Amino acid sequence: MALSLIKSASLAVGAGTNVLEQLSMLCDGQNYTVSSGTYTSQNVTALQILDLSFADVTGSTISYTPPAGATCVIYEFCFNAHGYNQNLAISSHKFFIDSDEVVYQRRNVGSNVYQEFQTFRSIIPIGGSADTNTGRQATWTSAKTLKLQARAYSDAADAKLHSTTYWEGAAANHFHIPSLTITALS
């Protein structure tokens, strides 16, 4: 019942706008259904420690096909990030559409004793000439895999995802489930 209410509220917000569909899901391994189909989120149950090699960010991967008439897809992945040893932490993040990195979406996150709730957002236009630098797709009529990859900057500036560093006045690691939202616009 709660999912139906959320879906109805989301559609009401989109009424009168150019939102064709919005797929919002926790990364809990469950099925979520919208007009373009049923999608199963990745099941994230533990923190992810980043090392010096790029790896897929758990929960960030989806194989998505927008509904007919879409001219833009917005990808939003929300997650917690912080220093592994409660000190300086820097991490690098990159976004992929299938096997192509969207070069102009590269970003770093970091600070001393950083703990941040992050929203990685990428706007993917559809139509015109394809461009891997911006992520523009000439057409999009079948499933494309969207995902983030991340790595730590160095051993001295390591990072982890999906967990807290501090809680209620003390150092404490508490799991934080990420979420993923895909919005298709006409």
Side-chain angles (χ1 to χ4, degrees), residues 123-174:
I123 297 171
I124 307 164
I126 304 169
S129 299
D131 185 343
T132 55
N133 286 323
T134 65
R136 179 179 288 278
Q137 303 297 299
T139 61
W140 191 346
T141 57
S142 60
K144 292 186 182 292
T145 300
L146 311 175
K147 69 178 180 181
L148 281 178
Q149 287 189 342
R151 61 159 280 175
Y153 174 77
S154 70
D155 285 332
D158 52 9
K160 63 182 173 180
L161 309 176
H162 315 317
S163 179
T164 63
T165 302
Y166 300 102
W167 185 255
E168 293 188 9
N173 291 315
H174 292 275

Side-chain angles (χ1 to χ4, degrees), residues 58-137:
T58 55
S60 73
T61 302
I62 186 170
S63 183
Y64 180 72
T65 305
T71 62
C72 182
V73 168
I74 301 170
Y75 171 98
E76 294 174 291
F77 182 66
C78 300
F79 61 101
N80 220 41
H82 66 93
Y84 181 59
N85 291 314
Q86 300 173 0
N87 57 11
L88 173 67
I90 304 170
S91 57
S92 299
H93 302 257
K94 55 186 179 178
F95 180 63
F96 285 83
I97 302 173
D98 287 334
S99 61
D100 297 320
E101 180 192 355
V102 181
V103 178
Y104 294 168
Q105 289 291 318
R106 291 177 178 171
R107 72 174 60 165
N108 286 318
V109 175
S111 69
N112 288 327
V113 193
Y114 95 96
Q115 175 177 294
E116 297 181 358
F117 181 75
Q118 295 289 315
T119 298
F120 181 94
R121 185 174 198 246
S122 183
I123 297 171
I124 307 164
I126 304 169
S129 299
D131 185 343
T132 55
N133 286 323
T134 65
R136 179 179 288 278
Q137 303 297 299

